[in-house]
């Protein structure tokens, strides 16, 4: 075997590919550079043209806005005249007045005009609000895509869990003895919350996806009537959810304060992924505490934004919240800069709607997992919220420390005081 001199070797396939890639990279860099130069030339041209129009939008501005790019409107935003005289709408709408006064229309456009309304509240005095387009595109795009996918991913994950882990069974020998887990008021609170949440979830999803998913099935007329009914249901069932939320918070908050057993429980994955592992827990284990706090905190947030939507323009809360977040520096930590606190009344409503839906999607995903474990996923769990009494062996496996406490205070009839080894 003889080695060929390097100078004689033909270019290999890999060499050719690398060379092509290099050429492509150089060409692309060049094009990007040209585009950047072109853009900055275009921007300076646009600025010059804008000056020539006395601040009015240029053709370039309009095209840029149509491409979804940001347009510098500082000059127009500042040129709104004096709201107390020229730009006061009342003084401008006379027969000889400047009905086409550009300052007035700019003042209206940027929410600076002095408009008074005899009815309709804060929302009625904002005549133009272009944030609505951002809201609409987010609601129709990322909200539906990511929200819907989150629920699908959770359903797929639970199916995989069910197929690989199977139902979590009571592993020890059943005792035939029942132990009281939840009283009637606790179960009432839980089912009020649960049933209302399920109705709210379904009616909410219908209002978000209905136009695309149901109009082809029902036709526009029937869908319109159905959508109105769902809106009515959603608005009114919300009260039951809020009452249920208050009830379970008051009844269970003390049982859900984290303790040292929770860390052990979490490190062992709650014993959910392996048979024969039962980390000790009191009345609620760490997994249930997470569910509880998700329900309480996100449920409160969804309720507050829901109230803001139920009473339009009466309960604005985002500007005040952003102000507090800016003051503690939270948005800045995430590199977002200060959040704007100058929000039009409609923007408050748009943010309330988006936040309400985002939080509801997260809750739904978590609750789907909870419903699975509380019903078909775990043998013996449903009884806790059904009859209120559970099999003693189930309680020993999942809430050993709580069983010890009950045994000390008032042991159920026929119970032996042994607790299982971990
Ligand atoms: C058909 C639906 C549901 C079923 C079958 C179900 C079942 C259960 C069961 C069996 C428990 C007691 C677990 C134990 O004994 O340790 C429980 C607790 C609880 N449920 Fe539900 N539930 C459902 C829906 C909901 C919904 C929609 C919510 C809230 C929006 C909710 C919130 C809670 C909370 C906060 C607890 C206490 C913490 C926990 O055990 O995770 N449940 N549920």
């Amino acid at each position: 075997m003889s080695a060929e001199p390097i100078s004689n070797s033909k270019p290999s396939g890999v060499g050719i590919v690398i060379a092509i890639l290099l050429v492509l990279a150089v060409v692309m860099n060049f094009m990007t550079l040209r585009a950047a130069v072109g853009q900055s030339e275009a921007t300076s041209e646009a600025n010059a043209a804008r000056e020539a129009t006395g601040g009015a939008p240029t053709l370039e501005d309009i095209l840029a806005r149509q491409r979804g790019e940001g347009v510098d409107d500082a000059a127009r935003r500042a040129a709104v005249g004096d709201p107390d005289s020229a730009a006061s709408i009342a003084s401008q709408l006379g027969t000889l007045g400047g009905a086409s006064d550009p300052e007035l229309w700019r003042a209206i456009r940027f929410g600076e005009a002095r408009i008074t309304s005899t009815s309709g509240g804060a929302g009625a005095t904002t005549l133009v609000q272009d944030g609505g387009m951002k809201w609409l595109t987010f609601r129709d795009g990322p909200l539906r895509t990511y929200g819907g996918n989150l629920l699908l991913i959770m359903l797929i994950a639970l199916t995989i869990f069910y197929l690989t882990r199977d139902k979590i069974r009571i592993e020890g020998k059943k005792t035939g003895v029942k132990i009281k887990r939840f009283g009637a008021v606790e179960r009432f609170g839980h089912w009020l919350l649960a049933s209302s949440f399920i109705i709210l979830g379904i009616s909410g999803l219908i209002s978000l996806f209905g136009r695309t998913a149901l109009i082809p099935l029902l036709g526009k007329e029937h869908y319109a009537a159905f959508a109105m009914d769902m809106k009515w249901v959603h608005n009114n069932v919300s009260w039951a959810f809020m009452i249920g939320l208050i009830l379970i918070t008051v009844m269970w908050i003390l049982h859900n304060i984290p303790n040292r057993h929770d860390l052990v429980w979490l490190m062992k994955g709650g014993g959910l992924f392996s048979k024969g592992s039962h980390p000790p827990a009191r009345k609620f284990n760490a997994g249930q505490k997470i569910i509880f706090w998700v329900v309480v905190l996100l449920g409160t947030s969804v309720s507050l934004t829901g109230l803001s939507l139920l009473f339009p323009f009466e309960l604005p809360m985002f500007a005040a919240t952003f102000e507090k977040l800016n003051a503690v520096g939270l948005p800045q930590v995430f590199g977002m800069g200060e959040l704007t606190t100058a929000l039009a009344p409609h923007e408050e409503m748009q943010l309330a709607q988006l936040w309400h839906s985002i939080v509801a999607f997260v809750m739904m995903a978590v609750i789907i997992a909870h419903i699975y474990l509380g019903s078909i996923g775990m043998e013996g769990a449903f009884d806790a919220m059904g009859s209120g009494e559970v099999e003693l062996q189930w309680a020993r496996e999942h809430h050993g420390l709580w069983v010890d406490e009950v045994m000390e205070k008032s042991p159920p009839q026929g119970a032996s005081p042994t607790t299982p080894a971990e």
Side-chain angles (χ1 to χ4, degrees):
M1 243 208 318
S2 67
E4 279 193 16
I6 293 171
S7 55
N8 287 344
S9 67
K10 291 186 185 140
S12 69
V14 178
I16 292 172
V17 172
I18 292 176
I20 292 174
L21 285 177
L22 276 174
V23 172
L24 273 177
V26 171
V27 171
M28 278 168 70
N29 269 332
F30 180 69
M31 282 164 67
T32 322
L33 200 67
R34 277 208 49 186
V37 171
Q39 208 166 19
S40 81
E41 277 169 5
T43 315
S44 56
E45 268 172 32
N47 283 340
R50 215 178 280 128
E51 270 165 34
T53 64
T58 63
L59 177 63
E60 190 47 47
D61 284 342
I62 295 167
L63 293 175
R65 201 178 314 122
Q66 283 175 357
R67 288 192 300 268
E69 293 165 13
V71 174
D72 177 15
D73 62 10
R76 289 191 298 135
R77 200 175 272 277
V80 291
D82 176 2
D84 288 324
S85 56
S88 154
I89 195 163
S91 67
Q92 291 298 312
L93 291 182
T95 43
L96 298 174
S100 62
D101 180 345
E103 284 186 349
L104 169 64
W105 290 111
R106 274 198 294 268
I108 292 174
R109 162 75 175 74
F110 294 112
E112 297 289 336
R114 282 281 159 84
I115 301 167
T116 46
S117 149
T118 47
S119 62
T125 56
T126 305
L127 302 187
V128 178
Q129 194 265 317
D130 58 356
M133 214 50 221
K134 279 189 223 148
W135 166 76
L136 189 67
T137 12
F138 189 87
R139 182 181 185 272
D140 283 352
L143 180 64
R144 298 212 294 199
T145 312
Y146 291 117
N149 283 339
L150 179 67
L151 300 188
L152 284 179
I153 288 169
M154 185 49 99
L155 287 173
I156 293 170
L158 286 174
T159 313
I160 294 173
F161 182 75
Y162 180 72
L163 292 175
T164 51
R165 170 68 167 92
D166 202 359
K167 190 171 185 143
I168 300 169
R169 306 230 168 245
I170 299 177
E171 290 180 347
K173 197 168 173 300
K174 288 186 194 159
T175 60
V177 176
K178 296 278 181 195
I179 178 168
K180 182 99 185 150
R181 183 137 173 85
F182 294 111
V185 183
E186 285 175 296
R187 281 178 286 141
F188 170 78
H190 174 267
W191 288 119
L192 184 68
L193 183 77
S195 52
S196 57
F197 183 86
I198 291 169
I199 296 171
L200 290 167
I202 294 172
S203 51
L205 288 175
I206 287 173
S207 90
L208 189 60
F209 291 102
R211 286 177 69 88
T212 27
L214 295 180
I215 288 181
L217 295 177
L218 301 178
K220 282 189 178 168
E221 298 233 330
H222 285 116
Y223 174 70
F226 181 60
M228 286 297 286
D229 291 346
M230 284 297 107
K231 179 182 178 304
W232 186 90
V233 166
H234 197 85
N235 288 355
N236 291 290
V237 170
S238 62
W239 300 109
F241 176 79
M242 287 184 262
I243 295 170
L245 188 63
I246 294 170
L247 282 176
I248 66 126
T249 308
V250 172
M251 289 186 297
W252 294 340
I253 194 161
L254 288 181
H255 292 296
N256 281 287
I257 294 170
N259 61 36
R260 66 200 159 87
H261 302 295
D262 297 332
L263 278 181
V264 180
W265 193 96
L266 286 173
M267 279 186 320
K268 294 190 175 176
L272 295 179
F273 300 94
S274 48
K275 291 188 179 161
S277 162
H278 299 293
R282 298 174 73 176
K283 176 134 182 167
F284 292 120
N285 59 42
Q288 290 175 299
K289 287 181 185 177
I290 292 173
I291 303 272
F292 175 84
W293 286 110
V294 163
V295 169
V296 169
L297 298 177
L298 300 194
T300 305
S301 190
V302 111
S303 302
L304 290 175
T305 44
L307 285 170
S308 169
L309 293 167
L310 211 49
F311 301 103
F313 307 117
E314 300 292 337
L315 298 167
M317 51 189 69
F318 280 86
T321 310
F322 289 173
E323 211 168 280
K324 291 195 178 68
L325 292 178
N326 287 341
V328 293
L330 201 62
Q332 294 88 322
V333 170
F334 293 100
M336 293 162 72
E338 290 213 342
L339 299 171
T340 177
T341 51
L343 297 174
H346 298 70
E347 262 167 329
E348 284 277 355
M349 299 300 296
Q350 286 148 8
L351 287 171
Q353 188 280 329
L354 293 181
W355 185 249
H356 186 77
S357 320
I358 293 169
V359 174
F361 268 122
V362 175
M363 274 186 87
M364 283 188 273
V366 173
I367 288 299
I368 289 173
H370 167 77
I371 293 177
Y372 168 77
L373 274 183
S375 56
I376 55 167
M378 182 186 278
E379 182 185 6
F382 187 82
D383 293 339
M385 280 301 164
S387 63
E389 294 185 333
V390 290
E391 160 63 42
L392 180 58
Q393 183 58 24
W394 177 89
R396 280 179 175 153
E397 288 178 9
H398 298 290
H399 301 277
L401 299 171
W402 172 72
V403 173
D404 291 347
E405 285 164 24
V406 177
M407 287 297 186
E408 255 179 44
K409 280 191 214 146
S410 53
Q413 276 200 339
S416 77
T418 44
T419 46
E422 255 185 68

